Amino acid sequence: MDASVVILSSHSLFTDGIANRLQQYLPQSQLQMVNPTAHTALRELINTDPQIIIFDITDTDALQFCVSHNLLYDLPAVRLIALNPRKEQIRILTSECHPAVEIEDLLAVIARPLYA
């Protein structure tokens, strides 16, 4: 795996545990931690240029950071992986861009199957 992975966390036990486990499988150079409450968080994230951002959906600081900075717009190639310690699932948020000039362009995206 050559992906740059960032864990966006204000250091909850859950995400710290995930980071420790991932360090067993990923080289340290591929895994970074960014605290969403730090005033340099956005700059750190952009400098890292991650392909994957992992965060705990119950961490309000991390969730607010993702939403307030429109990460899917600013980093269109990134995959946001939302983990929920209360559920056994992973939610993956991705960004897709399609041309939109006419209403038909929007209708074509709406009509397209979710998983083609």
Side-chain angles (χ1 to χ4, degrees):
M1 173 186 223
D2 285 334
S4 173
V5 178
V6 168
I7 296 179
L8 190 62
S9 171
S10 39
H11 295 290
S12 70
L13 288 175
F14 178 68
T15 50
D16 284 351
I18 295 295
N20 286 334
R21 291 296 305 269
L22 285 176
Q23 287 173 341
Q24 296 172 8
Y25 299 95
L26 298 175
Q28 188 168 351
S29 63
Q30 290 179 350
L31 183 63
Q32 304 291 324
M33 295 282 289
V34 172
N35 186 334
T37 62
H39 70 281
T40 59
L42 185 59
R43 185 177 35 197
E44 286 179 57
L45 199 58
I46 290 171
N47 287 342
T48 304
D49 191 26
Q51 293 173 321
I52 297 167
I53 299 173
I54 299 171
F55 68 101
D56 174 355
I57 197 92
T58 65
D59 180 342
T60 55
D61 292 326
L63 181 60
Q64 181 61 35
F65 183 88
C66 290
V67 172
S68 66
H69 291 290
N70 295 316
L71 293 183
L72 290 175
Y73 289 98
D74 293 339
L75 301 168
V78 77
R79 286 184 288 163
L80 297 177
I81 298 178
L83 303 177
N84 187 336
R86 297 181 188 122
K87 295 183 179 179
E88 293 180 349
Q89 67 179 19
I90 295 172
R91 173 127 354 231
I92 301 170
L93 310 167
T94 60
S95 178
E96 287 185 42
C97 295
H98 299 273
V101 178
E102 303 291 333
I103 192 68
E104 290 80 12
D105 298 327
L106 178 59
L107 291 170
V109 171
I110 291 170
R112 211 178 92 219
L114 185 57
Y115 300 103

